[in-house]
Amino acid sequence: MMPSDQFLLYCFDHGAGPAPSAADVADVVLARAPSIADLRLRIAPAPGDLEHPAWAPGEVADIREGIAHTWEAVPAAVARLFARQVDATVAPWRLHVFPRVTGAPRCAGPATVVVLQVAHALADGRRSAEIARALLGSGAAGEAPVFRPLPGPLRAARGVLGFPVALARTVALGALAPRARAAIDRRTRDGALPPAVPGCPRTLLNAAPDATRDVRMLVRDTASLHAGHTVTVTALAAVSLAVERYLRLRGGAVPAELSAEVMVARERRHGERNAFGNVSVPLYPGALAAERPARIAAALAAARERAASPLWRTVGAAEDAAPSALAVLGVRAFDPMIVPDTMAGATVLSSVYRGPADLELLGGRSVFTAGFPALSPAMGLTHGVHGLGDTVTVSVTSSRTAVPDPDAYASLLAAALDEVAQGR
């Protein structure tokens, strides 16, 4: 299984006041967690995978003290966390506490850095930010109701009895998919839908990651990243420059179709925990830096419009409706080592605003947040853009197979952020 846990970092400044210990933070979290329904869940598979997994009550709270006493040590400490994913059948979340960190950006005194690790099955980027806000805020706590599924044997029996109906529904929905695809092609030809972005040829950055992970974080003022466009667009423009320059620095080819895979939110359906999709956005290598934000903004808007067509739901409806046993077979048959010649992008960017900087933790005020999109078998470099109040952190996660010199890439990205912000 590919590692896909989310890691949400929050930094709290204690200023001249006393900084709490990890045990102090654990006491607060243990008191607040029972009031948050999402943190009282675990995944309960059905026997023999005869029915889709269900959410069941979970009472495990896993809180750990991290080892990093200075901000310089935090990125490496966070990168080490990726090696141990949560077991969502026991608890789909874990909290790491780095107490009394000195030298944190924008902090007047010692800082408490916390990292909330969340299984992607539990929440997407928006929902995980809501969970973190509930856990790290100062609101009143109260007991949260938790749904209890049927016993395992009854669920398995229900799955067996319902298999013929579910299979027939899957076949019927699958028969509608070709018609929906034809409608998409027709609407594209007629100009009613923006055209698809051509695939991006594989680059040096599409190397399969090994066990190494590197993390870098660039904390900026939100105002500096607006530059006439959204923070997401400005960050993408900076990534376009940094990726192009890094590929040239490494002696790699820069394809004319260079693009990035961007996570975009969509309307959440009832009971859905992950409501996002991926779109491909051109990065326009060779274009002037001052021209890229506008061109990227237009391309991102077009990609979102294309992805929002309800016809795509018809295309994917059969897969969504597949009986559990068939879905499991599909997962087992998937070979992540088979990499196509063209990709959705040379890198990934995920952008989430996590709300105002009004979180409080034992006298510490929230200063900034960060996030780190997971790597995949063909993606050795990802970017997170996460806002809190008037700060935005642009984070880089990479493997040495794709980025053997992470400091060099981070320097290029920092310079590109300044360049785009100044409109040069």
Side-chain angles (χ1 to χ4, degrees), residues 34-38 40-41 142-148:
S35 70
I36 305 168
D38 284 336
R40 296 185 59 202
L41 297 174
E143 286 298 313
V146 176
F147 172 76
R148 294 182 181 275

Side-chain angles (χ1 to χ4, degrees), residues 177-363:
R179 191 180 305 171
R181 287 192 178 277
I184 290 171
D185 292 341
R186 183 173 62 254
R187 288 175 60 82
T188 301
R189 288 194 302 270
D190 294 344
L193 275 181
V197 174
C200 175
R202 288 203 303 263
T203 71
L204 294 173
L205 302 177
N206 295 114
D210 58 13
T212 61
R213 292 293 184 274
D214 292 292
V215 163
R216 298 294 185 269
M217 289 173 275
L218 305 171
V219 183
R220 300 297 177 98
D221 291 328
T222 302
S224 72
L225 292 186
H226 274 300
H229 298 278
T230 65
V231 167
T232 301
V233 166
T234 302
L236 263 175
V239 167
S240 76
L241 291 168
V243 165
E244 178 184 357
R245 291 166 181 172
Y246 184 72
L247 289 174
R248 296 191 192 284
L249 180 68
R250 292 274 310 279
V254 180
E257 303 86 358
L258 186 69
S259 59
E261 189 176 353
V262 180
M263 309 298 179
V264 295
R266 57 173 172 75
E267 184 180 353
R268 196 182 301 279
R269 289 174 275 187
H270 178 70
E272 191 174 32
R273 290 182 169 271
N274 281 275
F276 72 95
N278 307 337
V279 299
S280 184
V281 178
L283 296 181
Y284 302 105
L288 295 176
E291 297 176 353
R292 296 195 192 194
R295 296 180 69 177
I296 287 173
L300 179 58
R304 282 177 167 152
E305 180 184 350
R306 182 177 175 85
S309 171
L311 290 167
W312 291 113
R313 289 193 178 184
T314 304
V315 171
E319 182 178 348
D320 293 339
S324 178
L326 292 185
V328 170
L329 287 176
V331 170
R332 290 175 179 169
F334 172 69
D335 185 354
M337 296 300 105
I338 298 177
V339 180
D341 291 332
T342 59
M343 313 292 299
T347 186
V348 164
L349 184 139
S350 177
S351 180
V352 179
Y353 177 63
R354 292 179 176 160
D358 57 358
L359 303 180
E360 181 274 336
L361 185 62
L362 293 170

Side-chain angles (χ1 to χ4, degrees), residues 1 4-6 38 41-43 53 55 86 88-89 92 118-124 127 131 268 271-276:
M1 181 179 293
S4 62
D5 283 0
Q6 301 175 79
D38 284 336
L41 297 174
R42 65 177 182 85
I43 291 178
W55 291 105
V86 298
T89 64
V118 179
H120 230 305
L122 181 67
D124 57 20
R127 186 164 185 155
I131 294 172
R268 196 182 301 279
E272 191 174 32
R273 290 182 169 271
N274 281 275
F276 72 95

